């Protein structure tokens, strides 16, 4: 079981997981194709970050970025390598979905990449009901990125 906490991004473990996430995105994506938020982006208005904890260890992170158009966005989903296939990311995703609904979002969307590194996350999203769809917000579709959506109403 994981304890889910809203995170203020001040902790060393949380910051290390964000750094791991950004490094992984850059290592697995073509130049100019990474839209992951850095620490300052995650601290922006309208964005809430949660972490899943087991004991004293952060297992997973995820964020919700609320838009003004009824669309909320999943951001910065990453699990720590020590917690693979233990349900930490599923717990974070469920927290993000519930919060988006409670905050009045009509749809929850995300942008992600293609390739083997992204497949586990895509499986998680699809198991939870996300379906492939069109670009949203300021995203421009390209050969590498893809978009998934979950209707909330």
């Amino acid at each position: 079981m994981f304890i889910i906490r809203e995170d203020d991004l001040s902790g060393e473990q949380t910051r290390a997981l964000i750094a791991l996430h950004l490094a992984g995105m850059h290592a697995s994506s073509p130049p100019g194709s990474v839209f992951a938020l850095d620490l300052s982006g995650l601290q922006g208005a309208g964005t809430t970050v949660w972490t899943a904890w087991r004991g004293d260890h952060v297992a997973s992170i995820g964020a919700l970025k609320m838009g003004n158009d009824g669309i909320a966005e999943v951001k910065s989903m990453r699990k720590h390598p020590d917690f693979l296939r233990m349900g930490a990311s599923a717990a974070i995703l469920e927290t993000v979905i519930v919060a988006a609904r409670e905050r009045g979002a009509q749809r929850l969307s995300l942008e992600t990449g293609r390739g083997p590194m992204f497949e586990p996350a895509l499986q998680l999203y699809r198991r939870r009901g996300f379906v492939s769809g069109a670009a949203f917000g300021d995203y421009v579709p390209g050969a590498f990125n893809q978009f998934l959506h979950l209707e909330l109403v």
Side-chain angles (χ1 to χ4, degrees), residues 6 46-50 64-67 70 72 95-106:
E6 189 171 322
T47 302
T48 305
V49 178
W50 291 273
L64 173 65
K65 183 176 181 182
M66 295 299 297
T95 300
V96 169
I97 292 168
V98 168
R101 274 196 179 108
E102 288 174 350
R103 295 173 188 186
Q106 297 172 13

Side-chain angles (χ1 to χ4, degrees), residues 20-140:
L20 179 70
H21 177 61
L22 289 171
M25 292 298 96
H26 286 283
S28 302
S29 306
S33 297
V34 175
F35 302 103
L37 296 177
D38 62 10
L39 185 62
S40 65
L42 289 169
Q43 292 169 324
T47 302
T48 305
V49 178
W50 291 273
T51 44
W53 292 80
R54 180 164 286 163
D56 293 332
H57 303 282
V58 67
S60 186
I61 189 169
L64 173 65
K65 183 176 181 182
M66 295 299 297
N68 294 328
D69 53 2
I71 299 173
E73 183 177 2
V74 177
K75 297 297 290 184
S76 300
M77 289 286 295
R78 174 64 68 150
K79 72 181 124 213
H80 191 281
D82 291 346
F83 293 92
L84 297 177
R85 293 176 203 75
M86 294 184 187
S89 292
I92 289 289
L93 182 59
E94 190 61 30
T95 300
V96 169
I97 292 168
V98 168
R101 274 196 179 108
E102 288 174 350
R103 295 173 188 186
Q106 297 172 13
R107 186 175 81 198
L108 185 57
S109 298
L110 63 97
E111 180 276 340
T112 192
R114 297 181 188 276
M117 185 204 168
F118 298 93
E119 282 307 313
L122 288 166
Q123 289 175 10
L124 171 68
Y125 297 133
R126 289 186 178 122
R127 274 195 313 268
R128 191 51 187 82
F130 284 80
V131 295
S132 297
F136 64 98
D138 295 332
Y139 291 110
V140 176

